[in-house]
Amino acid sequence: MKPAQPSTSDTPDVIVVGGGIGGLSTAFALAREGLRVRVLERAKEFGEVGAGIQIAPNCTRILHEYGLLDEAKSLGVLPENMVMRDALDARELTRLDLADLERQYGFPYMVIHRSDLHGIFLRACRAAGVELVNDQAVTGYEQTDGGARVRLADGRTEEAPLVIAADGLHSVARRDLIGDDVVSSEYVAYRAAVPIDAVRGHGVAEKDVTVYVGPRCHFVQYALRGGDMFNQVAVFRSPKASAGRDDWGTPDELDAAFEATCDTVRKGVPLMWRDRWWQMLDRDPVENWVHGRIALLGDAAHPPLQYMAQGAIMAIEDGWVLARHVARLRAEGGLDWDAALAAYEAVRVEHCRRVQTTARAWGELWHLEGGERLRRNAVLREVDPYGYAFTDWVYGPTALFPDEEPAMFAPVPLASARLDEPSAADTPATADAPSVADAPSAAGSAR
């Protein structure tokens, strides 16, 4: 579909604060509807920091609608399987056949470098006429009679009928409008993307996404950029964070966290970048994303822990949903921003709340130890790899209205596990132990 041409007024129809994946994808979605969009980005250049990112069928479906899926395929990798293994003994726990997953949902599961996905949306925005402005630090937000206004660090203000705050986990808008704090999981992530030759001989599965789950740690591996690069993510709970120290998640903790893991994981740990790491933070779900003509979007609205690999996807879905409601209202007689924002909030809040809370539970499940680890493993081995009851709610078509949101799955309690190991049978499951089905099968690998 050829994007509609933006309007020619000097004042934009929409200001998007933040030029990450969420901000750019939303700007593109709205520009396709003929709106004049201005993106204000704090950094001096547009870009993304990080390594690999996973994009599930609920996202590749949107990329297809945007006409961007073929470009994404050319830059990414379509893995064959999603495999979960125990990090201590490397035994397989469960898997998804991703070719069958594509048949189920109509669109593929893909892995891609974060900067490549960001570049796709950046080029799309330029082609659609989005105004992209760098070195613009937004320090505050306020309402106007006909819209909203942003205050910039240099003292200027800019306004539009709608301001979208896509300014991330540490959002200025979230601080001003809601005022809550980030929540620390006490886990930290290390990442690395290395030439594929650096890991050949480590026992890696080049054509799969593999996640090794272990006591208070996990390790993710998959190929990038046509198989020429290999992405690894090491996540562990920091003893320093648990002790209340500020200097937590340091490289010495990384090495200690994976000492008891299997050979493939231990061989991968020395390749991790050691000059940077990411503390795993989220926020509690909130219901009020829209404040007058200021709307939170992406991580500003619903920052998740990474276990379901849905953070960037949810931001892309946010923009798609808002743009679809803009198109719908125009077709019904005229664009009413208040109605569009109400419809956006009505459907997205509940879906993203589910993802946020499920991601927290999934993290607990991955990191179990002792008898609960063995019970988890036993239950996961019983999961039907070709049954999609645990994934339909998240990988199916993105809902536009609340009544289109799929029902959640039925949890499977760990206490139901059938165990052969005497040591596990002698270890009672706690009453508040997580359920295996508190998250979708093996398909929620942290980025």
Side-chain angles (χ1 to χ4, degrees), residues 149-221:
R149 178 184 297 124
V150 297
R151 298 190 303 276
L152 300 167
D154 61 9
R156 295 182 301 109
T157 62
E158 294 198 19
E159 59 185 73
L162 172 63
V163 171
I164 295 174
D167 49 348
L169 173 68
H170 299 289
S171 165
V172 172
R174 178 81 175 231
R175 177 200 69 195
D176 290 354
L177 299 173
I178 298 177
D180 60 338
D181 293 326
V182 297
V183 178
S184 172
S185 69
E186 300 184 349
Y187 279 78
V188 62
Y190 279 71
R191 295 182 170 89
V194 299
I196 192 68
D197 288 342
V199 298
R200 286 189 170 135
H202 289 189
V204 303
E206 295 184 32
K207 295 184 178 181
D208 295 339
V209 175
T210 307
V211 55
Y212 293 85
V213 294
R216 301 180 304 282
C217 68
H218 73 267
F219 201 78
V220 182
Q221 297 179 319

Side-chain angles (χ1 to χ4, degrees), residues 111-337:
V111 292
I112 189 170
H113 200 288
R114 180 176 286 270
S115 64
D116 290 340
L117 182 61
H118 183 270
I120 288 170
F121 282 115
L122 183 61
R123 290 186 291 275
C125 281
R126 287 173 174 154
V130 173
E131 185 181 1
L132 301 165
V133 190
N134 292 98
D135 201 16
Q136 304 292 303
V138 172
T139 60
Y141 296 75
E142 57 191 56
Q143 305 292 338
T144 66
D145 289 341
R149 178 184 297 124
V150 297
R151 298 190 303 276
L152 300 167
D154 61 9
R156 295 182 301 109
T157 62
E158 294 198 19
E159 59 185 73
L162 172 63
V163 171
I164 295 174
D167 49 348
L169 173 68
H170 299 289
S171 165
V172 172
R174 178 81 175 231
R175 177 200 69 195
D176 290 354
L177 299 173
I178 298 177
D180 60 338
D181 293 326
V182 297
V183 178
S184 172
S185 69
E186 300 184 349
Y187 279 78
V188 62
Y190 279 71
R191 295 182 170 89
V194 299
I196 192 68
D197 288 342
V199 298
R200 286 189 170 135
H202 289 189
V204 303
E206 295 184 32
K207 295 184 178 181
D208 295 339
V209 175
T210 307
V211 55
Y212 293 85
V213 294
R216 301 180 304 282
C217 68
H218 73 267
F219 201 78
V220 182
Q221 297 179 319
Y222 53 85
L224 290 172
R225 290 183 171 162
D228 293 335
M229 182 175 288
F230 200 72
N231 186 66
Q232 299 189 130
V233 186
V235 176
F236 61 91
R237 187 170 187 174
S238 164
K240 293 179 183 177
S242 300
R245 292 178 54 175
D246 294 331
D247 62 330
W248 60 279
T250 48
D252 58 307
E253 292 192 304
L254 166 69
D255 293 330
F258 291 94
E259 282 180 345
T261 56
C262 63
D263 287 347
T264 299
V265 173
R266 287 201 313 274
K267 289 176 180 177
V269 170
L271 300 177
M272 308 310 294
W273 297 328
R274 303 220 165 202
D275 60 340
R276 67 195 113 163
W277 51 89
W278 289 260
Q279 295 176 353
M280 297 187 69
L281 312 171
D282 67 354
R283 292 182 187 265
D284 292 330
V286 294
E287 297 183 359
N288 51 332
W289 297 1
V290 175
H291 300 256
R293 293 292 183 83
I294 302 168
L296 302 177
L297 182 141
D299 279 357
H302 46 75
L305 295 177
Q306 294 93 326
Y307 299 104
M308 288 185 60
Q310 285 282 311
I313 293 175
M314 287 193 293
I316 292 168
E317 287 181 310
D318 289 348
W320 179 83
V321 166
L322 181 58
R324 286 293 300 270
H325 283 297
V326 166
R328 173 183 62 83
L329 290 165
R330 279 183 157 175
E332 292 175 357
L335 175 55
D336 178 338
W337 274 122

Side-chain angles (χ1 to χ4, degrees), residues 11 31 102 195 291 306 382 384:
T11 300
E102 181 174 357
H291 300 256
Q306 294 93 326
E382 295 297 318
D384 178 3

